[in-house]
Each structure stands twice: as C-alpha cells, then as structure tokens.
Amino acid sequence: MRATGIVRRIDELGRVVIPKEIRRTQRIHSGDALEIFTDGKGEVVFKKYSPLAELGEPAAAYADVLARRLGCGVAVCDREKIVAAAGAGRSELLGEPLPPELDALLARRKLYTAPEEPLHRVALGSRWLLCAAPVLVHGDIEGGVLLPGMRRDAVPDPETIRAAATAAEFLARWMGE
C-alpha cells in the first residue's frame, strides 16, 4: 500500500469522506459498492466491489459456452475491466481495462451494435467492439456482455445480437438472486 498523505476524520455516524482526487483516479463514483477488508495489524482497506468479478469461473464458463455457440469471441466485463473472455482474442482481452467510450455506451442502458463503418468503432484492446449488452441488476449497471472482433469484421447478425442480450439478462438474473 502507498500512503497518500491525506487524513480524514470519521464523523458521528461512522462515515468518512473519500477525497475527490482519490475517487477520480480510482474511478469510484457515487453509488459504487466498496468491499471492506481488515487485517490483524489494524489496517482497513476499501476495494471496489464487482459482483461480476465475484462470479469468476461461472462467468468464464458461460462466456466459453456462448463463444462456442456463436462462433465468435465473447467477453464479460464489470465497470472497470474484462473479467471473463472466451474465443478469439481471449488472452489479450482478459483483464484489459475498459475504455471510457465503452463505459459511456453501457451507461446508456441499451444494447449497442457497432456502426457498419469500421472507422467509427470503439477499440477494445487490440480488438474492436461489435456488440455490447449491459448487465443491469436492480437498475444498476454492473457490466456487460461484449462481442469483440477485428476492425473489418461485419456487424453481428440479429440472432447473435439477441444471444448477447439474452446472456446479459441471464447474468443479471443470476446476480440479482
């Protein structure tokens, strides 16, 4: 851990304010969930909580099944990074941070399909985003199901797009239980 030199007091209700600079650099937004860790030495650590990252192996297995069925790459992301990937580009996408454009697309809460014109597509690591379906749990955006491809790949067909949307709905229901 690294000291920031910032000290805050706990108020009478047990609250502490995380400074704006830290929230900005760590991409912590109003309403984000933080997980609290403690150790025997009296340290308290706050970490951004990602229910999709918590799914771990089941999310990876689901992405793998979907990638095989659709015959294309599939990735599952939380609001920060790719947490599961399968198919083409798996190794280069896994753990890749989300570009701000993708976060903005997910924030729209709508299914996204890339434009036909490759020059206007969103970069996703060394790949390009062809489709993104937001994972909405209790009205909150927790992440998305992504279909990455190469820049010149055709936009996925309607059946593939529906499958990505269904996968996002399935993950949302699974997390909402």
Side-chain angles (χ1 to χ4, degrees), residues 123-155:
L124 188 60
S126 62
R127 303 251 165 199
W128 299 88
L129 184 63
L130 301 177
C131 178
V135 175
L136 299 168
V137 180
H138 304 298
D140 294 327
I141 302 162
E142 296 295 346
V145 173
L146 315 174
L147 302 181
M150 301 309 288
R151 186 173 201 143
R152 300 265 178 223
D153 285 352
V155 174

Side-chain angles (χ1 to χ4, degrees), residues 94-174:
L94 197 57
E96 184 74 22
L98 293 192
E101 302 89 354
L102 178 52
D103 192 46
L105 288 174
L106 294 173
R108 292 182 189 161
R109 302 169 180 267
K110 294 182 182 176
L111 185 63
Y112 165 82
T113 29
E116 292 289 339
E117 175 56 49
L119 294 175
H120 297 103
R121 294 185 179 174
V122 174
L124 188 60
S126 62
R127 303 251 165 199
W128 299 88
L129 184 63
L130 301 177
C131 178
V135 175
L136 299 168
V137 180
H138 304 298
D140 294 327
I141 302 162
E142 296 295 346
V145 173
L146 315 174
L147 302 181
M150 301 309 288
R151 186 173 201 143
R152 300 265 178 223
D153 285 352
V155 174
D157 61 70
E159 182 180 330
T160 301
I161 294 167
R162 271 194 305 278
T166 302
E169 290 170 10
F170 174 79
L171 289 172
R173 280 194 305 271
W174 196 4

Side-chain angles (χ1 to χ4, degrees), residues 54-88:
E54 289 290 315
L55 287 179
E57 195 60 40
Y62 192 66
D64 188 52
V65 168
L66 192 59
R68 283 191 219 164
R69 182 186 173 279
L70 298 177
C72 65
V74 174
V76 177
C77 69
D78 61 13
R79 296 293 301 269
E80 300 295 318
K81 65 183 184 299
I82 308 284
V83 297

